Amino acid sequence: MTPASPDDAAGSRNTDPVTDAAGPPTTDPVTDAGGPRTTEPVTDTADLTRAIADAPLVRAWSSFLASGATPFTIPGHKRQAGTVSDLLARMLDADVPLFGGLDAVKLTSGVLTRAERLAGQAWGARWCRFSTGGSTHANQAIVLAAGQPGRPVLVSRTAHRSTLLALVLAGLRPVWLPVDCDPVTAIPLGLNPDRLRVAAKEHPDAAAVLCVEPGYFGTVSAVAELADAAHRAGLPLIVDQAWGAHFGFHPGLPPHALRAGADAMVISVHKSLPAFSQASALFVASEWWDEGRLERAFEAGNTTSPAGAILASVDAARALLTHPAGTALLDRLIGLVADARGRLRAAGIGTVDPASFPPGRYDPAKLVIRTGSLHRNGNDVEAELVRAGVPVEMADADTVIPLVSLLDDERTVGRLVEAMLDAVRRAPAVRRSGDPGALTSMLASWPVPEQLLTPREAFFAEVAAVPADRAAGRICAEVIAPYPPGIPALVPGELIDADRLRVLRDAAAAGTRIAYAADPSLHTIQVVDDPTPR
């Protein structure tokens, strides 16, 4: 699916389909214009505090802190760090283990089960588990449950590296599904349901469909259509919704994947909600897998020493999100991001425009700033932002992505906008190194590379780093993903062809960020240490 035309979204104007900067800027690109809109503050914070305090894991965490217990359990700081260092105390005083802390004797009180049951109800799932290993662990758990070694799975080419490693662990064979990309900006637009239907017919023995919604740049596929296509083919749809933990809890946001018909969903609670780093959750809505299989798959990579504070923060985020204050905070978030886009656009700085997409196909809380048309390298702009004390989530040659969450307010977003305007002013002007969409268009026009080994076979093979000019014709042993679009150009087990390698090396030399590769300059490539493809 592709975005609506600019005429459909915003009247007749000369504009890129996914940017709200209408042609060349008519104002000084680094001049501030206007100020942030004032939004309503969250009211009745006492009621929200009570709701969070009543969350089962939060209540257990608070009770343990107030108990005055002298623990003789792990962790080794024993809640005594303040006796030796105030700095250590600030780092560790919130840390309470699940076992011997939130749950005094291992899993006898059922407090974790109660919290997970409440989250399952909130997201409409029949089975839910909280993870302290991030969405990496949750993705690997659901892929382990998906099928038996050797079976194919249909996988969006935008899949995260954790999914690729899950395929290694499970021994599943990926059938890669290319995604549509905007030809101008190179931003991935989503997975085409027709492409899924064709792949499902070609691989009737497939075990599941794996996709990523939303993508890193905020775009969302037609998930309901993907779910329908998968189910008609007799396949479950598994969605990595790491960047969309807030979806489904505000009418202005896309529905979450389960509500759109997916069978399983992973969310990174810590990305857009107030939770500790590594906080994640896995939800299953359908009867596709029995609970025994799900539990075995989840526990295969789960720690036996889970951090209670991380788990409690998932419970707290659930309580906040399902409280009326959560809706108000999401409303404020959407408004703040819209205002930020407006101020940046007024200053001549382009951003991705949600109005350019069909309803529900873009995250309005995502702020993607385009710097290429300003003759500024996004990496240089990021460096200026860091110097100003405003670090951002990601930058590449043409893009800066700050993460704005529901705890941001007018002050923090106002500081971001001011810092961005100043960073663009300070960053050196550069000549554009080329059309950001050219690399994507070229790679997208080629078929997915020939897969000579499964990711598992490539992972366990002997690997060597070879000069790039000797890599063509060898089997790749690493992920190589240019940003944008963040779609792997090569994954372990695929044949490296000379043309693709040349394009990637030219892009790296021109400043394109090459993610995951051991040598991001691509002077050397990790290959299977066997020159004979098998």
Side-chain angles (χ1 to χ4, degrees):
M1 300 292 289
T2 57
S5 70
D7 291 346
D8 293 337
S12 180
R13 59 178 181 161
N14 178 26
T15 179
D16 293 342
V18 292
T19 180
D20 62 4
T26 57
T27 60
D28 182 347
V30 295
T31 300
D32 189 7
R37 181 181 67 183
T38 300
T39 55
E40 291 295 324
V42 174
T43 58
D44 200 359
T45 56
D47 185 64
L48 174 60
T49 299
R50 284 192 295 271
I52 294 173
D54 283 341
L57 286 172
V58 177
R59 191 184 313 120
W61 177 82
S62 299
S63 297
F64 184 84
L65 292 184
S67 70
T70 302
F72 284 87
T73 67
I74 60 171
H77 60 73
K78 307 295 289 290
R79 302 197 49 74
Q80 298 296 314
T83 64
V84 295
S85 168
D86 289 342
L87 177 60
L88 274 179
R90 291 204 306 273
M91 292 173 61
L92 299 173
D93 273 358
D95 183 35
V96 174
L98 174 63
F99 305 133
L102 306 189
D103 214 339
V105 182
K106 292 187 179 182
L107 296 182
T108 56
S109 70
V111 63
L112 177 59
T113 300
R114 291 199 299 276
E116 290 171 334
R117 185 181 301 119
L118 287 171
Q121 293 170 357
W123 271 272
R126 70 172 179 90
W127 183 90
C128 168
R129 289 297 306 270
F130 295 170
S131 174
T132 61
S135 288
T136 292
H137 168 230
N139 276 328
Q140 291 172 355
I142 192 60
V143 173
L144 279 173
Q148 295 73 35
R151 289 187 68 182
V153 286
L154 311 183
V155 190
S156 168
R157 193 68 178 185
T158 55
H160 187 259
R161 180 172 57 175
S162 62
T163 298
L164 179 67
L165 268 296
L167 298 175
V168 170
L169 294 171
L172 296 168
R173 179 168 57 85
V175 176
W176 296 107
L177 302 175
V179 298
D180 296 324
C181 293
D182 181 75
V184 175
T185 63
I187 290 177
L189 302 176
L191 189 59
N192 190 314
D194 289 335
R195 191 169 286 143
L196 170 56
R197 293 184 186 98
V198 171
K201 288 182 180 179
E202 292 176 346
H203 299 275
D205 58 338
V209 181
L210 310 177
C211 64
V212 180
E213 308 295 339
Y216 191 71
F217 293 87
T219 52
V220 184
S221 300
V223 178
E225 293 183 39
L226 294 176
D228 180 70
H231 295 159
R232 287 178 182 274
L235 297 172
L237 178 67
I238 299 169
V239 176
D240 176 356
Q241 196 176 283
W243 289 100
H246 54 301
F247 279 16
F249 290 87
H250 187 281
L253 293 169
H256 62 68
L258 297 186
R259 187 171 295 170
D263 299 277
M265 175 182 75
V266 171
I267 62 169
S268 282
V269 184
H270 68 97
K271 283 187 167 65
S272 57
L273 302 179
F276 273 109
S277 294
Q278 300 177 214
S280 182
L282 169 59
F283 300 92
V284 173
S286 72
E287 300 291 336
W288 216 278
W289 308 277
D290 66 76
E291 290 195 11
R293 183 176 180 85
L294 292 169
E295 290 289 341
R296 291 193 302 274
F298 188 87
E299 292 300 337
N302 194 24
T303 176
T304 56
S305 303
I310 296 177
L311 296 172
S313 74
V314 178
D315 202 16
R318 185 271 312 161
L320 184 152
L321 201 57
T322 55
H323 189 275
T327 304
L329 288 169
L330 289 170
D331 192 69
R332 181 179 71 174
L333 168 63
I334 294 169
L336 288 170
V337 174
D339 285 341
R341 288 194 198 96
R343 293 186 67 197
L344 292 168
R345 184 192 177 201
I349 300 174
T351 65
V352 175
D353 182 12
S356 295
F357 295 80
R361 298 290 302 279
Y362 195 83
D363 178 8
K366 193 79 170 186
L367 181 58
V368 178
I369 302 168
R370 308 294 296 176
T371 62
S373 62
L374 301 173
H375 301 286
R376 303 294 196 277
N377 186 303
N379 296 303
D380 293 334
V381 173
E382 179 189 32
E384 294 295 336
L385 289 168
V386 170
R387 275 191 278 273
V390 185
V392 293
E393 179 65 28
M394 192 278 276
D396 59 40
D398 295 279
T399 310
V400 173
I401 301 181
L403 176 64
V404 186
S405 84
L406 78 171
L407 293 192
D408 277 300
D409 57 19
E410 290 84 356
R411 179 188 62 81
T412 61
V413 176
R415 183 181 180 191
L416 167 67
V417 172
E418 295 290 343
M420 184 69 196
L421 296 170
D422 190 55
V424 170
R425 183 184 298 113
R426 292 176 177 275
V430 295
R431 297 186 63 180
R432 285 181 62 84
S433 58
D435 180 357
L439 172 63
T440 298
S441 298
M442 188 174 296
L443 292 176
S445 67
W446 292 338
V448 173
E450 184 180 0
Q451 189 170 0
L452 300 180
L453 299 176
T454 67
R456 182 179 178 88
E457 290 169 333
F459 181 87
F460 285 107
E462 294 295 327
V463 172
V466 300
D469 57 8
R470 290 169 43 200
R474 304 290 292 273
I475 300 173
C476 189
E478 61 182 339
V479 179
I480 299 177
Y483 273 79
I487 298 172
L490 287 164
V491 301
E494 292 181 342
L495 179 67
I496 303 171
D497 66 272
D499 288 341
R500 185 178 302 261
L501 184 58
R502 174 183 51 78
V503 169
L504 289 170
R505 294 193 69 200
D506 287 347
T512 295
R513 175 190 171 212
I514 305 295
Y516 307 137
D519 176 5
S521 71
L522 297 186
H523 292 311
T524 61
I525 309 291
Q526 298 278 328
V527 301
V528 173
D529 195 14
D530 177 358
T532 305
R534 289 174 284 177

